[in-house]
Amino acid sequence: MEFLRPVSLAEALEARAAHPDAVPIAGGTDVMVELNFDHRRPAALLDLARVPELFGHSTVDGRIRIAAATPYARIIDELGDRLPGLAMASRTVGSPQIRNRGSVGGNLGAASPAGDTHPALLAAGAEVEIASTRGIRRLPVEEFYLGVKRNALEPDELIIAVHLEPASGPQQFSKVGTRNAMVIAVCAFALALHPKHRRVGTGIGSAAPTPRHAPAAEEFVAGELPWDRPVPLADSLLRRFGELVAEAAAPIDDVRGSAGYRRHALSVLARRTLTWAWTEYSCV
Amino acid sequence: MRVNVTVNGEPRQADDVWEGESLLYALRERLGLPGSKNACEQGECGSCTVYLDGQPACSCLVAAGQAEGREVRTVEGLADGERLDPVQEAFVECGAVQCGFCTPGLLVTAHDLIARTADPSDAEIREALAGNLCRCTGYETILDAVRLAAARKERV
Ligand SMILES: Cc1cc2nc3c(=O)[nH]c(=O)nc-3n(C[C@H](O)[C@H](O)[C@H](O)COP(=O)(O)OP(=O)(O)OC[C@H]3O[C@@H](n4cnc5c(N)ncnc54)[C@H](O)[C@@H]3O)c2cc1C
Ligand code: FES
Ligand code: FES
């Protein structure tokens, strides 16, 4: 096995192109579990931890660009005010030790349907910035997920950043699990109100082969919300929103929960997060 | 491969490191530091927690090669010579140790909490220790120890 240790993005992309069978490792919180248990024995590891371009965040064209390997702890501390949905999702990842190392780039690289940042990225309308020695491209995050643990990366590409609009309205994230810390989501839901555009973003986790939007629910609720009159929402509206979110899911039965439970739980999460977000919207 | 890493303030070299090996393995088997414990190798228990460049991390989830040129502080590096760190003293006094397997990780995590947070609330303590499992104590004596260590720190 080889251990590749690039110290710049250019070097990392060259190494990636020269070793398409190398496994990139950022925080290592997914990769090392696979290595420790011999589930994976790659020809090489490509260490991203000393590529300075992959850490930190900046504002680009009014959007926030988070470099791929930036650990969750920094997103929570430094971006919680501008990206509350992503920060909430980040806070539920693993434990403090995991959040000190794990990254959004790693969550996207693993592309587990249960990854907690995916619903928040979907609801916020994030884009993934991808690079190789051939150049840079950007993908809307919903086009990045191709299947269970499959994503749109070519063998010579690395995720280098995600781009998100700073929140222009309330955002929420909610996850069902057996306890507060260290749980893989049974299902998860994220919601973002975009009052400027009168739009509502949604993201569903752990309830389909890939994370996904609930487009019918988004359209319905954007049209029905009393944007100019922040009155409490009618039960019928909340219930319908929950139903449409549950209908957008395609869950399976597994050890963590049944498909029926997941659908029900999603409709509850959808109603709750919308109520919380609307209450916040009404108060400002 | 060879890995150069500063451990508890001393520059160290680990030789014959396998490229896929964890920092935990390198510390225990190559550098003679068995304080950090291996209980799960999957980030679930926190027994292997060390400071990596000042941040608590599960050393079982760090590739040894990723520690090249970095600073690691293990449970062995908490005491000042023969003098225990106040967190260690508090664990002894409160009886927060039974089999002791979880203790090294809890000490590092608690040490970090107290360094960052003056007078932590119970909720803050629980949140900080959420990644450290103990199968023996039922946690009450551990919470007592962290409260005691934090209170003593306040006074100095
Ligand atoms: C105890 C424990 C609890 C966990 N709890 C949660 C949880 O609650 N929620 C959750 O979502 N996840 C959880 N995880 C999974 C993991 O922490 C996350 O998926 C994390 O975001 C992975 O980030 P990383 O930087 O550690 O990735 P790594 O392990 O370094 O990499 C993960 C994958 O992405 C690839 N990769 C990494 N960076 C890039 C890049 N820049 N370009 C291309 N490919 C890349 C790697 O090759 C690998 O396939 C948990 C893991 C553990 C061990
Ligand atoms: S051995 Fe590393 S977390 Fe359990
Ligand atoms: S004292 Fe035995 S695991 Fe904690």
Side-chain angles (χ1 to χ4, degrees):
Chain A
M1 197 160 149
E2 263 190 285
F3 196 86
L4 308 165
R5 218 178 254 160
V7 295
S8 69
L9 182 59
E11 264 185 45
L13 295 176
E14 265 157 42
R16 183 86 181 120
H19 303 267
D21 49 359
V23 170
I25 178 169
T29 59
D30 280 313
V31 171
M32 286 306 292
V33 176
E34 294 180 331
L35 288 178
N36 289 344
F37 285 84
D38 255 337
H39 293 159
R40 206 169 190 185
R41 192 50 74 84
L45 285 180
L46 175 58
D47 181 18
L48 302 179
R50 47 197 86 231
V51 176
E53 293 96 324
L54 294 179
F55 293 84
H57 50 83
S58 54
T59 306
V60 179
D61 301 332
R63 305 190 109 207
I64 298 169
R65 179 184 187 278
I66 308 174
T70 310
Y72 292 119
R74 285 192 63 187
I75 295 177
I76 295 165
D77 288 350
E78 297 166 25
L79 294 172
D81 52 344
R82 282 174 290 162
L83 300 175
L86 183 63
M88 276 182 219
S90 302
R91 261 183 226 112
T92 76
V93 174
S95 62
Q97 290 95 318
I98 302 294
R99 294 192 289 274
N100 280 342
R101 302 276 306 160
S103 61
V104 175
N107 218 218
L108 286 165
S112 158
D116 283 321
T117 67
H118 309 316
L121 294 174
L122 283 163
E127 282 183 311
V128 187
E129 186 180 347
I130 296 168
S132 69
T133 50
R134 295 174 289 126
I136 289 183
R137 64 182 175 123
R138 283 214 214 170
L139 268 187
V141 69
E142 59 268 28
E143 291 173 27
F144 183 79
Y145 310 114
L146 295 186
V148 177
K149 305 196 175 176
R150 281 199 308 117
N151 62 38
L153 286 186
E154 298 293 336
D156 65 342
E157 288 182 321
L158 290 173
I159 303 159
I160 58 170
V162 290
H163 296 250
L164 301 91
E165 196 124 343
S168 60
Q171 301 187 340
Q172 284 292 340
F173 172 83
S174 197
K175 158 177 171 183
V176 175
T178 42
R179 69 178 186 121
N180 269 340
M182 308 279 272
V183 286
I184 306 185
V186 177
C187 62
F189 183 72
L191 177 100
L193 299 187
H194 305 287
K196 238 187 351 200
H197 311 293
R198 309 242 153 156
R199 271 197 328 100
V200 176
T202 60
I204 295 175
S206 258
T210 66
R212 53 164 75 166
H213 284 288
E218 292 177 359
E219 206 169 306
F220 162 75
V221 77
E224 295 288 317
L225 282 176
W227 292 102
D228 299 318
R229 262 182 324 121
V231 292
L233 299 179
D235 261 357
S236 55
L237 183 155
L238 290 167
R239 253 199 324 276
R240 184 70 191 131
F241 180 61
E243 280 166 16
L244 289 168
V245 167
E247 279 169 23
I252 53 167
D253 296 321
D254 68 13
V255 289
R256 281 178 279 136
S258 68
Y261 175 77
R262 285 189 160 96
R263 261 193 219 100
H264 176 71
L266 273 176
S267 70
V268 174
L269 293 185
R271 289 202 304 263
R272 273 190 203 159
T273 51
L274 180 57
T275 305
W276 294 331
W278 191 255
T279 305
E280 192 188 328
Y281 177 70
S282 315
C283 291
V284 288
Chain B
M1 65 178 169
R2 168 173 287 185
V3 174
N4 300 285
V5 50
T6 301
V7 185
N8 300 328
E10 265 180 59
R12 302 286 304 267
Q13 276 181 356
D15 280 312
D16 302 319
V17 171
W18 175 60
E19 286 72 13
E21 152 177 333
S22 68
L23 174 61
L24 175 62
Y25 189 90
L27 288 170
R28 290 178 55 85
E29 309 296 334
R30 309 209 188 270
L31 295 172
L33 292 166
S36 313
K37 296 289 179 263
N38 176 358
C40 75
E41 285 196 293
Q42 51 180 317
E44 298 278 350
C45 75
S47 310
C48 65
T49 304
V50 300
Y51 282 110
L52 177 61
D53 280 352
Q55 302 283 330
C58 296
S59 58
C60 71
L61 299 182
V62 177
Q66 292 187 297
E68 172 73 30
R70 310 254 188 226
E71 297 226 8
V72 173
R73 190 174 179 197
T74 68
V75 68
E76 287 97 338
L78 293 186
D80 180 5
E82 290 295 294
R83 256 197 43 225
L84 292 183
D85 183 89
V87 177
Q88 293 171 304
E89 267 175 0
F91 268 63
V92 173
E93 283 173 41
C94 295
V97 181
Q98 286 189 30
C99 80
F101 217 76
C102 65
T103 311
L106 274 161
L107 286 171
V108 173
T109 310
H111 186 269
D112 173 65
L113 168 69
I114 291 168
R116 279 186 297 109
T117 315
D119 194 17
S121 66
D122 277 10
E124 284 171 318
I125 298 173
R126 282 169 186 272
E127 173 64 23
L129 303 187
N132 293 78
L133 299 186
C134 173
R135 307 190 70 171
C136 306
T137 63
Y139 299 101
E140 284 305 324
T141 50
I142 293 172
L143 293 176
D144 288 343
V146 178
R147 286 186 206 112
L148 177 64
R152 283 191 183 151
K153 176 144 193 251
E154 284 293 281
R155 270 191 271 120
V156 290

